[in-house]
Amino acid sequence: MSDTPAPMSPERLQRMAEVIVKIGLNLQAGQDLVMTAPVAALPLVRQIAAEAYKAGAGVVTPLLGDEEITLARYRHAQDASFDRAADWLYQGMAQAFAGNAARLAIVGDNPMLLAEQDPDKVSRANRANSIAYKPALEKISNFVVNWNIAAYPGTAWARQVFPDLPEAEAVAALAEAIYKASRLDGADPVADWTAHNAALRQRSAWLNGQRFAALQFTGPGTDLRVGLADGHEWHGGASQAQNGVICNPNIPTEEVFTTPHALKVEGHVSATKPLSHQGTLIENIQVRFEGGQIVEAKATRGENVLQKVLDSDAGARRLGEVALVPHSSPISASGLLFYNTLFDENAACHIALGQCYSKCFLGGDKLTPEQLAAQGGNSSVIHIDWMIGSDQIDIDGIGADGSVTPVFRKGEWA
Amino acid sequence: MSDTPAPMSPERLQRMAEVIVKIGLNLQAGQDLVMTAPVAALPLVRQIAAEAYKAGAGVVTPLLGDEEITLARYRHAQDASFDRAADWLYQGMAQAFAGNAARLAIVGDNPMLLAEQDPDKVSRANRANSIAYKPALEKISNFVVNWNIAAYPGTAWARQVFPDLPEAEAVAALAEAIYKASRLDGADPVADWTAHNAALRQRSAWLNGQRFAALQFTGPGTDLRVGLADGHEWHGGASQAQNGVICNPNIPTEEVFTTPHALKVEGHVSATKPLSHQGTLIENIQVRFEGGQIVEAKATRGENVLQKVLDSDAGARRLGEVALVPHSSPISASGLLFYNTLFDENAACHIALGQCYSKCFLGGDKLTPEQLAAQGGNSSVIHIDWMIGSDQIDIDGIGADGSVTPVFRKGEWA
């Protein structure tokens, strides 16, 4: 292991680990940490463990996954295996979070890892894992504890993002892209993140003050009015978890986001970037909404996959999120398609099909599913972000009285 | 990761994985597998996952540990950390075993990893882990499910065993030593293990038929009579777990072993190999027993550590195991000190201070601790094997009527 060169210098790894522990997690003295990561991310995992212990961590538990072991299952396991999951491990994670352990996920696996595998087995294994992980995931999505997702440049992922570069150069290029996108390249990244969070907080506070009834998106191939849910609340950047700790759940993050009204979306919209979905690239999506629901959808590539997504359940044709990201964000400026939502959703304004976030309602933690639905919150088993922003998109805020306030002009805050 | 050369060829890794899965675990179709391993053992772990899935495993869950992360804790953690453990993970493992998951431990860490760390912190962390792991360990030591321990040549471990070789040669030499000691070097290792198990079963069956009252060890510096517990039972090689699966808990294994009588050990004995205990080498141990208890103990090196071990609790001066290993065993023939009990206890006849195994009593699974004690079973928080066999040791079996039966002559079965 010690012979594997890390794609980042020790200084960069240390910087990244420090920002993850101090800004991403804001790990508190005495808190345990449960960290999942690809085994290839070991150089970063080691540095994070050191930073976590420096911050006063109780016990750091790394759970290292491996692509080859995942593939070994698809190559060799009997059919019945694909309906099983390590329930005991996921239940234990839920127990750890209930005991105030913080949660860190390092992503970096090959986005196309299972693209060649039997889709039925993939879907059954995902479903078994989702069911087993549900009690733990609920504690994370309800922000019971502070948590964070960050990224490490895995080799196969790098080759996917930079298909024309030799492997080592692709990994170095992805490392550089992650480093910049994660706002680690300044003189004092912790201070830069503090300032970035303040700016995102200012944007969401302004939007919350406006209390727009809808957003109007206008641009090439797009004329879309997205009604906002009753009592919607904008969020962005740092969040306070129920244990009182203010954390940054995503590194990077550039978006401010809220909940659309499931019944009040009208018009047509064209995707501005391809959508990478479970190993398929869906290109040039164009859809039309009526009464909040997609009534027409086409794509120049992957349209059959898109149609399957839309048929997932009743809520899959309606919106669960709308998010604003300026075209000048570092990720957009990179011009890269990362094939990973953690990055790609921060490259452009986007909307998401499917499940809404209860957090994006005023007092949302205390609302029942029925109350959320009555206020316009959508419900679905899917939540799929797709990009509709570019440097040619204008956005207006429409008041309850029909007044029009410029929000974005040519892809930037107005 | 893919750039790290494995110290064993793919063919050897495959062979080792096959023997671990088929002979060590005897993994059954539909059984889940929980596997702990050093992250450096990843090439073997991957192969084991493949073999396990081929054998019909449900879900294989690897839990990969890392020496650097362990050390990061000792370097950076606050004092309170050392009384904490990942209870949720250990409780989860107990739950997995209760659900019939098989257990595999791959060892290979640096035996001296914590030798330079604060002994108080090491001892507190060990204690916290032991308490947390107890429910899971009890399921293993009571053979609720099939389990196995096997080894992979870690770099620091290899340097400890071969201090005079350059690193790469040391790792290759340890890999070779593990391969041979684990009886993998024949034409058909699965068949070789089946034959080896039959031989060990024959030895223990003969000893069980003899029902000796005591064993008399005679050799240079040794004149020791080890009384055997009432209703003792000899074991060796494969064991049947409570789930009905016959497994080989240790790879390698060369010993047949049973329970001495805690009150009936008399005479003096000299260790024939150094004892590696928590980073200290204890050399040339000589002790004298009276009424089952060590009343005199000395060593030419590490005597203070030996005395601390003997003062652990009331049972630490009495024996909990006696084991017979011929001097011609492959491990003994290697002439190596492995600094790892999995190997070193299979190099020579040995006795163990401390806790006895309930399994080594007729019907032992159903005996209470009080019944075990009444039959001569010892009880202690420690269980430390040390080697007293060599090519100059004779062993006689002493019958209840005082009759003498030769068992070993010059270190070999008589």
Side-chain angles (χ1 to χ4, degrees):
Chain A
M1 301 294 305
S2 53
D3 301 335
T4 310
M8 290 186 180
S9 67
E11 194 223 340
R12 286 191 163 198
L13 285 172
Q14 199 276 329
R15 223 170 220 251
M16 191 165 193
E18 190 182 346
V19 167
I20 288 170
V21 170
K22 290 186 180 169
I23 297 288
L25 294 169
N26 188 15
L27 194 72
Q28 304 293 297
Q31 257 198 313
D32 291 341
L33 174 61
V34 178
M35 164 167 41
T36 52
V39 71
L42 190 60
L44 177 62
V45 170
R46 286 173 170 168
Q47 200 65 50
I48 289 168
E51 291 297 324
Y53 281 123
K54 282 186 206 167
V59 176
V60 177
T61 306
L63 298 169
L64 301 173
D66 179 55
E67 294 183 347
E68 287 301 317
I69 293 175
T70 302
L71 286 178
R73 187 182 186 190
Y74 284 92
R75 285 195 195 111
H76 302 300
Q78 292 180 5
D79 188 69
S81 164
F82 297 94
D83 298 315
R84 296 190 61 84
D87 308 70
W88 65 271
L89 183 63
Y90 294 126
Q91 285 171 26
M93 288 173 77
Q95 185 187 331
F97 304 148
N100 199 37
R103 167 83 169 100
L104 174 61
I106 302 295
V107 300
D109 275 334
N110 180 0
M112 301 294 159
L113 185 68
L114 303 179
E116 305 294 312
Q117 305 303 323
D118 178 351
D120 174 60
K121 288 180 179 170
V122 174
S123 134
R124 282 161 56 207
N126 281 344
R127 186 181 149 80
N129 273 323
S130 297
I131 292 169
Y133 188 54
K134 199 174 177 218
L137 180 62
E138 281 177 353
K139 291 196 163 47
I140 297 307
S141 53
N142 291 334
F143 274 87
V144 169
V145 292
N146 41 326
W147 58 275
N148 173 258
I149 306 178
Y152 187 83
T155 304
W157 181 23
R159 295 191 70 150
Q160 178 74 23
V161 179
F162 298 100
D164 300 329
L165 294 182
E167 183 171 291
E169 286 176 42
V171 171
L174 182 58
E176 181 71 20
I178 291 172
Y179 196 71
K180 282 196 176 155
S182 302
R183 295 178 177 267
L184 298 169
D185 55 342
D188 182 347
V190 170
D192 291 347
W193 267 92
T194 305
H196 180 49
N197 271 329
L200 291 170
R201 196 163 53 239
Q202 192 184 12
R203 297 298 186 197
S204 49
W206 179 77
L207 286 162
N208 283 326
Q210 295 294 323
R211 305 235 52 77
F212 291 128
L215 295 178
Q216 169 68 42
F217 290 77
T218 311
T222 291
D223 178 3
L224 184 72
R225 181 164 296 212
V226 177
L228 299 182
D230 304 337
H232 70 270
E233 187 170 33
W234 290 87
H235 284 274
S239 285
Q240 183 166 26
Q242 290 183 38
N243 64 357
V245 180
I246 294 170
C247 64
N248 257 90
N250 288 358
I251 290 180
T253 187
E254 301 289 335
E255 59 171 354
V256 294
F257 56 101
T258 194
T259 310
H261 196 295
L263 308 178
K264 298 183 180 170
V265 184
E266 304 287 345
H268 59 274
V269 60
S270 299
T272 50
K273 288 177 183 274
L275 171 61
S276 164
H277 182 69
Q278 293 181 354
T280 302
L281 212 57
I282 310 175
E283 294 191 75
N284 298 310
I285 300 172
Q286 290 189 297
V287 304
R288 190 163 65 78
F289 287 89
E290 273 183 24
Q293 183 167 313
I294 291 176
V295 291
E296 271 182 53
K298 53 186 181 177
T300 56
R301 183 177 162 191
E303 185 174 309
N304 57 337
V305 174
L306 176 63
Q307 297 295 352
K308 272 193 190 162
V309 165
L310 295 177
D311 289 339
S312 301
D313 60 16
R317 290 178 174 269
R318 299 181 185 271
L319 296 187
E321 182 192 350
V322 57
L324 305 183
V325 179
H327 184 70
S328 59
S329 95
I331 296 166
S332 174
S334 77
L336 296 172
L337 182 65
F338 282 83
Y339 301 90
N340 184 311
T341 302
L342 179 63
F343 291 83
D344 292 328
E345 74 165 0
N346 286 301
C349 291
H350 56 272
I351 49 185
L353 298 171
Q355 180 66 36
C356 71
Y357 296 123
S358 62
K359 186 175 92 164
C360 289
F361 285 89
L362 292 162
D365 289 349
K366 291 168 195 74
L367 296 177
T368 63
E370 291 72 25
Q371 289 171 316
L372 291 174
Q375 292 184 214
N378 190 35
S379 171
S380 173
V381 293
I382 69 162
H383 179 101
I384 297 175
D385 297 276
W386 50 293
M387 309 306 136
I388 62 167
S390 74
D391 59 357
Q392 298 179 66
I393 286 283
D394 292 340
I395 308 174
D396 289 314
I398 312 297
D401 58 358
S403 62
V404 176
T405 307
V407 178
F408 268 52
R409 283 295 173 269
K410 302 272 177 209
E412 299 298 329
W413 288 97
Chain B
M1 301 295 303
S2 53
D3 301 337
T4 309
M8 289 185 180
S9 68
E11 193 224 343
R12 285 192 164 197
L13 285 172
Q14 199 277 330
R15 219 171 223 247
M16 190 165 192
E18 190 182 347
V19 168
I20 288 170
V21 169
K22 291 187 179 166
I23 297 289
L25 293 169
N26 187 13
L27 195 72
Q28 303 294 298
Q31 257 199 313
D32 292 339
L33 174 61
V34 178
M35 162 166 44
T36 53
V39 70
L42 191 60
L44 178 62
V45 169
R46 286 173 171 168
Q47 201 65 52
I48 289 168
E51 291 297 324
Y53 282 123
K54 281 184 208 168
V59 176
V60 177
T61 305
L63 298 169
L64 301 172
D66 177 56
E67 296 184 346
E68 288 300 317
I69 294 176
T70 303
L71 286 178
R73 186 181 188 192
Y74 284 91
R75 284 193 197 115
H76 301 300
Q78 294 179 4
D79 188 70
S81 164
F82 297 94
D83 297 316
R84 296 191 62 83
D87 308 68
W88 64 271
L89 182 63
Y90 294 126
Q91 286 170 28
M93 289 172 77
Q95 185 187 330
F97 305 147
N100 199 36
R103 166 82 169 105
L104 174 60
I106 302 295
V107 299
D109 274 333
N110 180 359
M112 300 295 161
L113 185 67
L114 302 179
E116 306 292 315
Q117 304 303 323
D118 178 350
D120 174 60
K121 289 179 177 169
V122 173
S123 135
R124 283 161 55 207
N126 281 343
R127 187 180 149 77
N129 273 322
S130 297
I131 292 170
Y133 189 52
K134 199 174 178 217
L137 180 61
E138 280 175 356
K139 293 201 159 46
I140 298 306
S141 54
N142 292 334
F143 274 87
V144 168
V145 291
N146 41 326
W147 59 275
N148 174 258
I149 307 178
Y152 187 82
T155 305
W157 180 25
R159 297 192 68 150
Q160 177 75 22
V161 179
F162 298 99
D164 300 329
L165 293 183
E167 185 171 290
E169 287 177 39
V171 171
L174 182 57
E176 181 72 21
I178 290 172
Y179 196 71
K180 280 195 177 156
S182 303
R183 295 179 177 266
L184 298 168
D185 54 342
D188 182 348
V190 170
D192 290 347
W193 267 92
T194 305
H196 179 49
N197 271 329
L200 290 169
R201 195 164 52 241
Q202 191 183 13
R203 297 298 186 196
S204 49
W206 179 76
L207 287 162
N208 283 325
Q210 294 294 324
R211 305 235 51 77
F212 291 128
L215 295 178
Q216 168 70 39
F217 290 78
T218 311
T222 289
D223 179 4
L224 183 73
R225 181 164 294 212
V226 177
L228 299 181
D230 304 339
H232 70 270
E233 187 168 34
W234 289 88
H235 284 274
S239 285
Q240 184 167 28
Q242 290 183 37
N243 64 357
V245 180
I246 294 171
C247 64
N248 259 87
N250 289 357
I251 290 179
T253 188
E254 300 289 334
E255 58 173 356
V256 294
F257 56 100
T258 195
T259 309
H261 196 295
L263 308 178
K264 297 182 180 171
V265 184
E266 306 284 344
H268 58 273
V269 60
S270 298
T272 50
K273 287 176 183 276
L275 170 61
S276 165
H277 182 68
Q278 292 182 356
T280 302
L281 211 59
I282 310 175
E283 294 192 74
N284 297 310
I285 300 173
Q286 290 190 298
V287 305
R288 190 162 66 77
F289 285 89
E290 274 183 24
Q293 182 167 310
I294 291 177
V295 292
E296 270 182 51
K298 54 186 180 179
T300 57
R301 185 178 163 190
E303 187 175 308
N304 56 338
V305 175
L306 177 63
Q307 296 296 349
K308 271 193 191 161
V309 165
L310 296 177
D311 289 340
S312 301
D313 61 15
R317 290 177 175 270
R318 299 182 184 273
L319 295 187
E321 181 191 350
V322 57
L324 305 184
V325 179
H327 184 71
S328 59
S329 94
I331 296 167
S332 174
S334 77
L336 296 172
L337 182 65
F338 282 82
Y339 300 90
N340 185 312
T341 302
L342 179 63
F343 290 82
D344 291 329
E345 74 165 1
N346 286 302
C349 292
H350 56 272
I351 50 184
L353 298 171
Q355 180 65 37
C356 72
Y357 296 122
S358 62
K359 184 176 96 165
C360 288
F361 285 89
L362 293 162
D365 289 349
K366 291 168 195 72
L367 296 177
T368 64
E370 293 70 26
Q371 288 170 317
L372 291 174
Q375 290 183 216
N378 191 33
S379 172
S380 171
V381 293
I382 69 163
H383 179 100
I384 297 175
D385 297 274
W386 51 293
M387 310 305 135
I388 62 168
S390 75
D391 60 356
Q392 297 180 67
I393 286 283
D394 292 341
I395 307 173
D396 288 315
I398 312 297
D401 58 357
S403 62
V404 175
T405 308
V407 178
F408 267 52
R409 283 295 175 267
K410 301 270 178 214
E412 300 298 330
W413 288 98

